[in-house]
């Protein structure tokens, strides 16, 4: 027990005092690619498992059709091509959401397109769905199958290609849904990234209803083909919506039998940062937290318990997780907190959740 505690402490201190200062000297996207490459191999995941393995039955959560071994998930965008799933499993996440994947490969926006704001514990990105496409993604899921634990849940976050017209967007979502159906534990429909022009308009009732109807129909058809394997579907929303827009989204989501909502994606607002000139793109991390928490609060209040909520935005400590769970979230996800706190964060969060249940 004491040895376990020491290893976790060592892991967190080493990251913050030695590894992070080194990494932060380099371009964020280069560091990101380097990290994904290391996690896609075998040595790093094995080391992470040695230092960070920790589970407890008190962490289990049943949400929709799935039982999660713990409520802490990796948010979408970190593992765009699903190459590092064994790494996230070894790091101790209960689940990882890979993607956003689009039907065809695409390069995304011109570089530089990812920026750290260390004084605010934040990141701004305008990557624009750079990914290797659904064929490659599906192959990576297949390869990972034997490398991840049986109780590690893999979500697939799907989006549309840059040049697909909004009226045809549902076809892009259907394509990746069908392609990854056998390998995904759940799907997330991403209509909320700010870095693909027009994408967030898909949150409007007419587009959203069309996309969700098509996907649930396909879900039911594939369910019959593969027998009893219909998938949970979540909708990932922006934090920058009006209450009227949120009301529409909740109604369409309930009408189409979604399992839940992921709240939220990055924000285009800079209101929670001091006045200044900032890069364009989606803001994540600490300044997003109050914004996404107010969306979370609204959703819980207005969905009458008919939708589960996976809360995301600004988590870097146990108190942040507790606040979201207390507001009514079933599970949480994080991305930016991992950049600032390092991989030891996941074990620390799990131990504190278990500690709070015991006391
Ligand atoms: C560099 C970067 C890339 C992202 N890419 C995606 C993406 O492809 N799809 C998506 O749904 N969300 C994406 N996100 C948003 C995250 O999944 C998450 O919703 C957001 O960052 C808020 O969580 P955080 O404050 O813990 O980072 C991205 C975030 C960052 C920082």
């Amino acid at each position: 027990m004491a040895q376990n505690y020491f290893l976790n402490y060592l892991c967190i201190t080493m990251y913050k005092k030695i590894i992070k200062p080194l990494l932060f000297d380099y371009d964020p996207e280069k560091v990101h690619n380097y990290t994904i490459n290391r996690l896609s191999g075998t040595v790093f995941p094995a080391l992470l498992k040695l230092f960070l393995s920790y589970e407890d039955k008190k962490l289990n959560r049943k949400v929709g059709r799935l039982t999660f071994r713990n409520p802490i998930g990796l948010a979408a965008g970190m593992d765009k091509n699903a190459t590092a799933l064994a790494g996230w499993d070894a790091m101790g996440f209960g689940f990882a959401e890979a993607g956003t994947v689009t039907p065809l490969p695409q390069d995304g926006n011109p570089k530089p397109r990812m920026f750290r704001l260390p004084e605010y514990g934040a990141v701004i990105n305008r990557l624009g769905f750079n990914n290797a496409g659904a064929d490659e993604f599906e192959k990576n899921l297949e390869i990972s199958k034997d490398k991840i634990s049986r109780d590690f849940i893999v979500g697939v976050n799907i989006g549309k290609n840059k040049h697909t017209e909004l009226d045809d967007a549902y076809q892009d979502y259907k394509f990746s849904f069908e392609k990854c159906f056998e390998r995904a534990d759940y799907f997330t429909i991403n209509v909320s990234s700010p870095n693909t022009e027009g994408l967030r308009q898909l949150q409007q009732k007419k587009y959203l209803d069309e996309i969700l109807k098509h996907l649930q129909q396909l879900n039911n058809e594939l369910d019959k083909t593969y027998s009893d394997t219909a998938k949970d579907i979540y909708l990932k929303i922006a934090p920058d919506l009006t209450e009227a827009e949120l009301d529409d989204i909740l109604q369409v989501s309930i009408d189409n039998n979604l399992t839940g909502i992921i709240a939220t994606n990055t924000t285009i607002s800079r209101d929670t940062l001091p006045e200044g000139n900032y890069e364009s793109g989606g803001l994540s991390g600490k300044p997003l937290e109050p914004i996404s928490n107010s969306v979370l609060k609204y959703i819980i209040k207005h969905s009458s318990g008919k939708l589960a909520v996976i809360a995301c935005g600004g988590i870097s400590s146990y108190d942040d997780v507790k606040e979201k769970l207390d507001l009514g979230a079933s599970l949480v996800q994080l991305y930016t907190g991992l950049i600032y706190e390092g991989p030891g964060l996941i074990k620390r969060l799990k131990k504190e959740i278990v500690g709070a249940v015991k006391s």
Side-chain angles (χ1 to χ4, degrees):
M1 186 70 181
Q3 188 199 17
N4 209 325
Y5 177 83
F6 175 72
L7 283 179
N8 195 215
Y9 175 78
L10 190 71
C11 202
I12 290 168
T13 310
M14 256 176 53
Y15 181 80
K16 289 193 118 170
K17 299 265 187 244
I18 303 168
I19 300 170
K20 188 168 84 170
L22 279 173
L23 295 179
F24 274 34
D25 269 349
Y26 294 90
D27 170 69
E29 193 171 347
K30 286 203 173 116
V31 172
H32 170 85
N33 294 337
Y34 175 83
T35 310
I36 292 292
N37 283 338
R38 298 282 76 74
L39 290 170
S40 305
T42 48
V43 178
F44 258 59
L47 281 173
L48 287 169
K49 208 165 212 154
L50 185 70
F51 279 80
L52 298 176
S53 65
Y54 172 79
E55 288 302 333
D56 188 304
K57 283 213 156 37
K58 292 189 190 73
L59 292 164
N60 295 175
R61 300 283 187 282
K62 168 114 174 61
V63 185
R65 299 169 173 86
L66 299 168
T67 299
F68 294 74
R69 69 184 182 194
N70 73 65
I72 316 289
L74 177 76
M78 179 72 98
D79 193 357
K80 297 220 181 237
N81 299 311
T83 52
L85 294 172
W88 314 119
D89 179 18
M91 216 176 271
F93 283 103
F95 62 112
E97 194 169 300
T100 297
V101 59
T102 55
L104 299 174
Q106 56 180 37
D107 292 334
N109 292 321
K111 294 177 186 172
R113 52 194 184 176
M114 190 172 168
F115 311 90
R116 298 183 199 100
L117 287 73
E119 58 278 49
Y120 308 119
V123 164
I124 291 176
N125 92 85
R126 48 170 183 268
L127 293 170
F129 289 169
N130 52 316
N131 78 103
D135 283 346
E136 189 71 24
F137 187 97
E138 195 273 335
K139 279 184 206 143
N140 292 336
L141 287 181
E142 165 71 22
I143 293 167
S144 309
K145 194 178 71 194
D146 298 323
K147 297 186 187 165
I148 56 176
S149 317
R150 286 171 69 97
D151 61 355
F152 182 65
I153 285 174
V154 177
V156 172
N157 179 306
I158 57 181
K160 79 163 193 76
N161 275 115
K162 180 178 177 179
H163 296 297
T164 305
E165 299 292 336
L166 295 184
D167 284 329
D168 301 328
Y170 73 91
Q171 313 227 33
D172 276 17
Y173 289 94
K174 279 180 76 176
F175 183 89
S176 303
F177 188 91
E178 183 157 13
K179 176 123 279 210
C180 301
F181 186 83
E182 263 192 277
R183 311 254 165 261
D185 292 315
Y186 74 84
F187 283 93
T188 297
I189 315 308
N190 182 4
V191 283
S192 50
S193 286
N195 304 313
T196 296
E197 210 189 315
L199 186 90
R200 285 173 304 151
Q201 288 179 46
L202 297 177
Q203 293 172 118
Q204 292 166 13
K205 209 172 181 173
K206 66 164 184 164
Y207 292 119
L208 195 56
D209 194 45
E210 181 175 50
I211 294 170
L212 300 184
K213 274 205 167 61
H214 277 287
L215 287 180
Q216 284 296 27
Q217 195 183 341
L218 184 59
N219 201 14
N220 290 330
E221 283 165 23
L222 294 170
D223 176 38
K224 286 188 194 102
T225 313
Y226 294 105
S227 80
D228 202 24
T229 51
K231 301 292 156 98
D232 286 331
I233 303 180
Y234 290 87
L235 181 74
K236 185 161 179 181
I237 62 169
D240 308 312
L241 297 157
T242 63
E243 292 189 350
E245 287 169 329
L246 279 172
D247 290 340
D248 279 352
I249 287 173
L250 294 179
Q251 197 53 55
V252 176
S253 302
I254 292 169
D255 291 348
N256 284 288
N257 284 320
L258 289 202
T259 302
I261 302 282
I262 301 190
T264 65
N265 214 312
T266 55
T267 180
I268 53 168
S269 164
R270 300 292 183 262
D271 291 352
T272 50
L273 287 171
E275 220 161 280
N277 280 326
Y278 297 100
E279 294 288 343
S280 64
L283 172 69
S284 59
K286 277 292 141 208
L288 171 63
E289 193 177 20
I291 309 176
S292 54
N293 280 355
S294 68
V295 175
L296 167 64
K297 219 180 282 180
Y298 189 87
I299 295 174
I300 294 290
K301 188 166 171 204
H302 292 89
S303 56
S304 327
K306 291 180 181 145
L307 295 164
V309 184
I310 302 179
C312 182
I315 292 176
S316 63
S317 71
Y318 168 69
D319 286 345
D320 303 334
V321 173
K322 182 173 168 0
E323 186 171 4
K324 290 189 193 291
L325 296 178
D326 287 350
L327 285 172
S330 301
L331 304 162
V332 299
Q333 290 179 332
L334 60 90
Y335 182 149
T336 307
L338 195 59
I339 296 175
Y340 286 98
E341 299 296 315
L345 173 65
I346 314 311
K347 184 169 173 180
R348 192 173 77 206
L349 296 177
K350 291 187 294 185
K351 291 197 113 177
E352 292 191 50
I353 294 173
V354 171
V357 175
K358 277 179 184 155
S359 58

